[in-house]
Amino acid sequence: MENLVKDFMMLWSTIDPVGTLALFTGLTARLSAQQRRKTAIKATLYASMVLIAALILGQLILTAMDIKLISLQLAGGVILFLFGLQMIFSTHIQESGETEPGHDLAVFPLAVPSIASPGAIMAVITLTDNHVKTLYEQTATAAVLMLVLLVTCGLMLMADRIFKVIGHNGSAIIVRIMGMILAALSVELIMTAIGVAPWMTT
């Protein structure tokens, strides 16, 4: 039970259902209620597939390619930083609620990198280390992962009530605040990956 609680806390902090809700609220403000519900469900399904694939195959793929987890963290930090800048300075999505042809908000940025974030991918790979965890423990971690994803989906499905309170201006503010938070988080990931953060905090 103690291990399950630790797994839940790590997955909750890396998937960040509340942060995903704020991002979802801003990005889908111009969509209809039906479109928002469809986007929420699709984003959760896509993110689930990515995270389950990472849980099952992630460590094998990284080992086969001789890629260390710290390298994945650095790459994820760069991606998050660029996306954070896009959220801060871009106005296209907030003004129209649409994206370019062939682009689906449920895939990017909701499923990846918001729900299935680089941190979440690293977390599921670390928590299901084949050299440390038994099959039973890995299955339990997978169940905890699905619980967090269900909570995330549930929060997004309740977004209609939030729209009535914050309006379009509030959603635009949320997007920019989330952009700044993502940019700051990405810097932390990059600094940790290159070994800068430890000596800066001393």
Side-chain angles (χ1 to χ4, degrees):
M1 182 60 65
E2 182 179 354
N3 289 334
L4 289 178
V5 172
K6 291 180 179 178
D7 290 354
F8 178 84
M9 295 304 298
M10 179 175 289
L11 291 171
W12 180 275
S13 61
T14 53
I15 293 176
D16 189 13
V18 177
T20 298
L21 171 62
L23 178 61
F24 175 84
T25 302
L27 294 178
T28 63
R30 300 284 182 174
L31 301 180
S32 66
Q34 182 178 2
Q35 288 175 317
R36 287 196 294 271
R37 288 192 295 269
K38 182 178 179 180
T39 300
I41 294 174
K42 287 172 61 178
T44 304
L45 290 176
Y46 292 145
S48 299
M49 290 187 289
V50 171
L51 292 175
I52 292 298
L55 187 150
I56 298 174
L57 302 174
Q59 187 173 357
L60 296 176
I61 294 175
L62 292 179
T63 301
M65 300 179 65
D66 195 24
I67 298 177
K68 295 180 174 60
L69 291 181
I70 199 69
S71 300
L72 182 63
Q73 181 174 342
L74 179 58
V78 173
I79 294 172
L80 278 178
F81 182 76
L82 294 175
F83 178 60
L85 292 180
Q86 179 183 358
M87 291 175 63
I88 294 172
F89 296 109
S90 176
T91 59
H92 174 70
I93 295 179
Q94 286 74 21
E95 292 177 352
S96 67
E98 300 176 353
T99 55
E100 65 272 15
H103 185 90
D104 190 349
L105 285 176
V107 178
F108 177 87
L110 289 174
V112 180
S114 181
I115 303 175
S117 65
I121 293 174
M122 287 187 294
V124 297
I125 294 175
T126 303
L127 292 175
T128 56
D129 189 343
N130 296 331
H131 302 294
V132 178
K133 304 292 184 177
T134 64
L135 179 60
Y136 174 80
E137 291 173 322
Q138 294 180 23
T139 303
T141 299
V144 172
L145 170 63
M146 297 309 299
L147 174 61
V148 175
L149 290 171
L150 286 175
V151 172
T152 303
C153 183
L155 290 176
M156 289 190 291
L157 290 175
M158 294 173 60
D160 286 346
R161 300 176 183 178
I162 299 176
F163 288 134
K164 296 179 181 179
V165 177
I166 65 174
H168 294 308
N169 291 333
S171 67
I173 293 173
I174 289 176
V175 168
R176 283 159 176 77
I177 292 175
M178 286 305 302
M180 290 186 290
I181 293 175
L182 281 177
L185 176 60
S186 68
V187 172
E188 291 290 335
L189 290 173
I190 294 172
M191 291 170 63
T192 302
I194 64 178
V196 175
W199 64 262
M200 288 188 65
T201 56
T202 58

